[in-house]
Amino acid sequence: MFTLVTGIVGRWRAVCVTALQRRCCDRHRCRYRCSVAECEDHVSSSQRGCLGKDQGRGRKFKPVIPVPFIARLLLDSGTSMDHGCECIYLVGAALGALVSIVLLWLGRRLGVLYQLFHKVETQSPCHGGELVAEVLQSHGVKFLFTLVGGHISPILVASEKLGIRVVDTRHEATAVFAADAVARLSGTVGVAAVTAGPGLTNTVTAVKNAQMAESPLLLIGGAAATLLQGRGALQDIDQLSLFKPICKFCASVRTIRDIVPVLKKALAEAQSGTPGPVFVEFPIDILYPYHVIQKELAPKGAPKGIMGKIISWYLQNHLNNLFAGAWEPRDTSPLPVSIPKATTEQIQKCVELLSRAKKPVFILGSQCTLPPTPVDNLRKALETLGIPSFLGGMARGMLGRDSPIHIRQNRRDALKEADLVILAGTVCDFRLSYGRVLNRRSKIIAVNRDRSQLLKNSDMFWKPTVAIQGDAGSFIVSLAEGLRGYTCPSDWTEGLKAGDISKEKANEKKAEEKTERHLNPLKVLHLVEEALPEDSIIVADGGDFVGSAAYILRPRGPLRWLDPGAFGTLGVGGGFALGAKLCRPESEVWVVFGDGSLGYSIVEYDTYTRHKTPIISIVGNDACWSQISREQVPMLGSNVACGLAFNDYHVVADGFGGKGFLVTRQDEDRIADILKEAQDASRKGKAALINVLIGRTNFREGSISV
């Protein structure tokens, strides 16, 4: 560019000098062409803009162009000229350079330059959706969740042709929740595609949930055509502004040749650092074939007038720019993923702290289950260390059902007594009382990929002894390797386990108590716990009933528990169960619903039937938003907006092609048998729903929902 502009300026300089010499000689009637210096002498009497006499005829002479002296300072010239010559040269050179730069900018902006070197294949039947599908396939994507819309149809069709299973749901949020579950269970990026406008706005809650749960997720959104955005097109809104605050990466693809690089970058970003959702917008004219878009853009008749021809040219050029170089071969393989890890020095410091500790304890969060460390390797490392461990989020089930080092109860008391606490992928937010449950005399090792989460509330209630911004799973494996031969004091572990057993026996006794009406929810949950097979996956979606289930149900192994995470979102159950069943078709997938949260997902029984994903759900039906009511009534004296009804949810499941079961107090002795019937129905391909009418207990009394 610099060379080109310099050449243009030089050319203008030569032209201007020659023209000015001729003009000077003509005015002064020189016999021979004079030099530039002589021209300057001819107008020396006019340098201040005054009038002079013409040599030979004695008439008044007007200088070429009087200019300020400052113009001379702007010139970079070794040639002596009068101020008039300098001004014309300056203006000409500047205008020439400016015009050239503007033309180059416009050529690049309008894609004219790119079209000179890259072919537009007007007869090709290919479309942008095929490139999207190729990138997804190259990244190991097996499922694409969607609610269909015309903006995204080419992506869905092309994905199905390449063997990616397209699963359509009855709500866009369910599609994103299902993609979230696939991301958590498979270690790959979960993908959902929804149509423009309201299709995308319906996903906002699910995308925010994925962000807070740190799930790698790609949301593909349709959009209005590139030329119609901001002009009132159907379902056209500023979608990027909507998703930028809740996504790690947002982009709008503007030409077909950009599809592959933009998608590859988005997928890498979703998995790098702290995983999270990314959003890529595809305008409709990026996805359909050339002849379809040409038909929409072509003028209805021959252009009239200069403006009509300009508009016609602009539209044709825009079309050609969309498709220029579109089908040239491109590498669709994944980009490298960046994952922070603890340094050798940090690990060695933690080895020294742990080797001196008498009462160490682990608190593991969902980050521990993230790639690249296999969960089985992590489990072996924890068992080798033998340190008492509390598990939360996706880490539930990491140690199996009955591990001697898995402590489920009395966490607050254990943390007050511990002399070393290792927060592995765990955040000091409301779940740890913002750090207030930690003993200030304890040594604290905190490991987290996200620095803001790593140090959350450390300025108020706690201080880390060692803070490591890195992957928690690989940190624990390295810690175990550095502590070969280490044995955690047995009396500490056994004491915590004894308290665990005592608390669980008390819970079992409470399960035998009679409620005022209907069934004791604790008894129902204990029977469900006994019925769960070893390969089962548990999905939690609800408030009071699910809160009780978290104390009683025991995931059988790693990656066999799904809950919304820190955002506490209701309505995840339908999508989570769908994604889990697709990832693990051989496993029984159980969803624990409250009757309130079921309202978000019950329509997805239609999806389970159509896509042959026979999950099992158990609904704690107490006709109330009990999690709210338990504090609203005593504090404010009213149950307003908390009451529901004992609805026949099992009948709804039947209507969608599933199998429904009703369990009342009259069925108390048959609960175990009904659970087995539901399991049999699931094995035969029917999604089952068990509608259990439950009463109220004082279990978890004092727990709050804010």
Side-chain angles (χ1 to χ4, degrees):
M1 176 66 79
F2 176 77
T3 304
L4 181 62
V5 172
T6 303
I8 292 171
V9 171
R11 179 61 181 162
W12 267 96
R13 176 190 176 90
V15 171
C16 288
V17 168
T18 302
L20 289 170
Q21 283 179 282
R22 289 176 178 172
R23 183 174 182 182
C24 175
C25 292
D26 290 342
R27 279 186 177 275
H28 299 97
R29 303 191 180 281
C30 301
R31 177 176 296 183
Y32 303 101
R33 294 295 181 188
C34 55
S35 67
V36 174
E38 289 171 331
C39 286
E40 185 176 270
D41 292 338
H42 291 166
V43 294
S44 60
S45 62
S46 313
Q47 288 186 5
R48 290 182 299 276
C50 60
L51 298 178
K53 297 287 184 179
D54 191 317
Q55 298 176 4
R57 296 189 62 179
R59 58 190 174 93
K60 291 182 180 179
F61 169 72
K62 188 175 181 180
V64 179
I65 300 179
V67 294
F69 182 72
I70 191 65
R72 191 177 190 86
L73 301 178
L74 298 176
L75 295 172
D76 181 18
S77 172
T79 304
S80 175
M81 290 188 293
D82 65 23
H83 294 316
C85 295
E86 290 176 357
C87 180
I88 292 179
Y89 160 66
L90 173 65
V91 172
L95 285 175
L98 180 62
V99 168
S100 300
I101 292 172
V102 169
L103 288 175
L104 287 171
W105 179 83
L106 283 173
R108 185 176 182 278
R109 179 78 174 177
L110 298 175
V112 176
L113 295 179
Y114 189 88
Q115 293 171 46
L116 293 176
F117 304 100
H118 299 272
K119 187 177 180 181
V120 179
E121 299 182 35
T122 60
Q123 302 303 315
S124 175
C126 299
H127 56 79
E130 294 171 341
L131 295 179
V132 176
E134 288 175 15
V135 175
L136 297 182
Q137 183 188 50
S138 298
H139 286 71
V141 174
K142 296 181 179 179
F143 306 104
L144 176 59
F145 298 96
T146 189
L147 199 159
V148 70
H151 289 88
I152 57 170
S153 290
I155 296 175
L156 307 183
V157 173
S159 295
E160 183 185 41
K161 287 181 179 179
L162 289 183
I164 298 172
R165 185 168 177 180
V166 178
V167 182
D168 61 304
T169 63
R170 297 300 297 272
H171 196 284
E172 289 89 351
T174 300
V176 176
F177 286 135
D180 186 344
V182 167
R184 300 189 195 194
L185 295 178
S186 69
T188 60
V189 179
V191 184
V194 299
T195 196
L200 276 163
T201 58
N202 278 346
T203 70
V204 170
T205 297
V207 173
K208 180 63 181 179
N209 190 80
Q211 180 199 39
M212 296 192 67
E214 299 173 348
S215 294
L217 186 146
L218 168 64
L219 176 64
I220 293 173
T226 51
L227 282 179
L228 296 180
Q229 291 180 0
R231 297 181 179 275
L234 175 67
Q235 299 179 333
D236 178 34
I237 60 171
D238 183 0
Q239 298 171 161
L240 293 180
S241 295
L242 191 65
F243 285 96
K244 281 179 180 177
I246 59 176
C247 288
K248 293 183 65 182
F249 173 86
C250 290
S252 179
V253 178
R254 309 312 291 177
T255 64
I256 296 174
R257 60 183 174 269
D258 293 330
I259 290 176
V260 172
V262 169
L263 268 184
K264 287 175 60 175
K265 183 177 180 181
L267 288 160
E269 191 66 29
Q271 301 171 85
S272 294
T274 304
V278 294
F279 169 60
V280 180
E281 172 187 89
F282 288 91
I284 193 169
D285 50 352
I286 299 297
L287 295 177
Y288 281 84
Y290 184 94
H291 69 275
V292 175
I293 307 304
Q294 183 185 41
K295 184 178 179 181
E296 295 298 321
L297 284 180
K300 303 305 179 184
K304 297 179 181 179
I306 184 65
M307 185 55 66
K309 291 180 179 179
I310 291 174
I311 293 174
S312 179
W313 175 88
Y314 178 81
L315 293 176
Q316 185 62 47
N317 177 75
H318 181 79
L319 175 63
N320 290 341
N321 185 46
L322 290 178
F323 285 85
W327 317 123
E328 295 174 2
R330 288 180 174 84
D331 180 17
T332 59
S333 60
L335 296 173
V337 174
S338 173
I339 299 174
K341 293 187 178 181
T343 65
T344 304
E345 293 76 14
Q346 290 172 327
I347 293 171
Q348 183 57 38
K349 186 173 183 179
C350 295
V351 166
E352 294 170 4
L353 287 172
L354 187 53
S355 63
R356 294 193 295 266
K358 303 298 182 184
K359 296 181 177 180
V361 66
F362 268 117
I363 305 180
L364 276 71
S366 297
Q367 270 194 19
C368 292
T369 65
L370 293 173
T373 304
V375 289
D376 290 335
N377 292 3
L378 178 58
R379 178 176 180 173
K380 290 177 183 177
L382 291 169
E383 291 172 343
T384 299
L385 291 168
I387 297 172
S389 302
F390 291 93
L391 309 176
M394 285 295 295
R396 289 177 183 265
M398 178 65 67
L399 295 167
R401 184 182 184 186
D402 297 308
S403 171
I405 63 172
H406 180 199
I407 313 301
R408 296 165 51 84
Q409 314 286 346
N410 305 314
R411 185 176 70 178
R412 182 181 292 268
D413 295 337
L415 292 177
K416 291 298 182 185
E417 196 175 347
D419 61 357
L420 175 66
V421 178
I422 303 175
L423 303 174
T426 300
V427 183
C428 285
D429 54 16
F430 69 94
R431 292 167 290 185
L432 285 176
S433 297
Y434 309 98
R436 286 177 291 190
V437 297
L438 301 174
N439 189 338
R440 288 187 175 272
R441 294 188 298 273
S442 300
K443 303 291 185 183
I444 301 174
I445 299 171
V447 188
N448 200 292
R449 295 192 186 191
D450 188 332
R451 183 164 183 80
S452 65
Q453 300 295 328
L454 174 67
L455 301 175
K456 190 174 288 293
N457 296 310
S458 63
D459 58 335
M460 296 180 64
F461 302 117
W462 69 289
K463 295 290 181 185
T465 308
V466 181
I468 301 172
Q469 184 178 359
D471 175 57
S474 58
F475 165 79
I476 294 172
V477 171
S478 299
L479 197 63
E481 292 173 352
L483 283 164
R484 294 184 185 277
Y486 168 82
T487 303
C488 182
S490 58
D491 56 338
W492 166 240
T493 306
E494 291 168 0
L496 292 178
K497 196 65 177 178
D500 221 30
I501 294 171
S502 175
K503 186 71 173 287
E504 289 180 357
K505 285 183 177 179
N507 291 343
E508 290 174 4
K509 289 182 179 179
K510 192 169 286 292
E512 298 303 322
E513 297 175 1
K514 289 288 185 181
T515 53
E516 185 176 339
R517 62 174 182 164
H518 300 307
L519 293 166
N520 185 323
L522 302 181
K523 181 174 182 177
V524 173
L525 289 168
H526 274 99
L527 291 170
V528 171
E529 163 63 20
E530 293 173 8
L532 291 175
E534 285 302 308
D535 67 344
S536 60
I537 296 174
I538 303 170
V539 177
D541 183 13
D544 196 63
F545 186 61
V546 171
S548 299
Y551 284 89
I552 297 169
L553 302 184
R554 303 183 184 186
R556 293 346 192 207
L559 299 179
R560 295 194 174 276
W561 173 277
L562 290 166
D563 64 27
F567 203 33
T569 308
L570 288 180
V572 302
F576 277 13
L578 177 63
K581 189 64 177 177
L582 289 168
C583 280
R584 310 269 181 83
E586 75 287 350
S587 297
E588 275 190 10
V589 176
W590 285 72
V591 193
V592 183
F593 279 118
D595 56 337
S597 62
L598 176 66
Y600 294 91
S601 295
I602 194 166
V603 70
E604 299 303 340
Y605 267 79
D606 168 68
T607 305
Y608 304 144
T609 299
R610 289 185 295 108
H611 290 283
K612 298 178 174 55
T613 48
I615 62 99
I616 304 171
S617 62
I618 182 157
V619 184
N621 186 353
D622 60 1
C624 186
W625 295 96
S626 294
Q627 181 83 348
I628 309 302
S629 179
R630 71 161 65 246
E631 62 190 77
Q632 180 175 305
V633 173
M635 290 176 63
L636 302 174
S638 172
N639 197 47
V640 63
C642 294
L644 297 172
F646 289 103
N647 291 313
D648 292 335
Y649 300 116
H650 55 289
V651 176
V652 179
D654 287 336
F656 281 123
K659 178 63 177 176
F661 301 87
L662 176 64
V663 183
T664 67
R665 177 167 280 185
Q666 287 70 35
D667 303 304
E668 188 167 9
D669 296 333
R670 296 186 56 251
I671 296 176
D673 293 333
I674 295 174
L675 295 178
K676 288 181 180 179
E677 290 177 24
Q679 289 174 309
D680 289 340
S682 176
R683 283 190 284 269
K684 293 176 182 178
K686 291 272 190 179
L689 186 150
I690 309 165
N691 184 15
V692 185
L693 306 188
I694 59 174
R696 300 190 182 186
T697 71
N698 61 359
F699 187 67
R700 297 179 65 245
E701 196 169 74
S703 65
I704 60 173
S705 59
V706 294

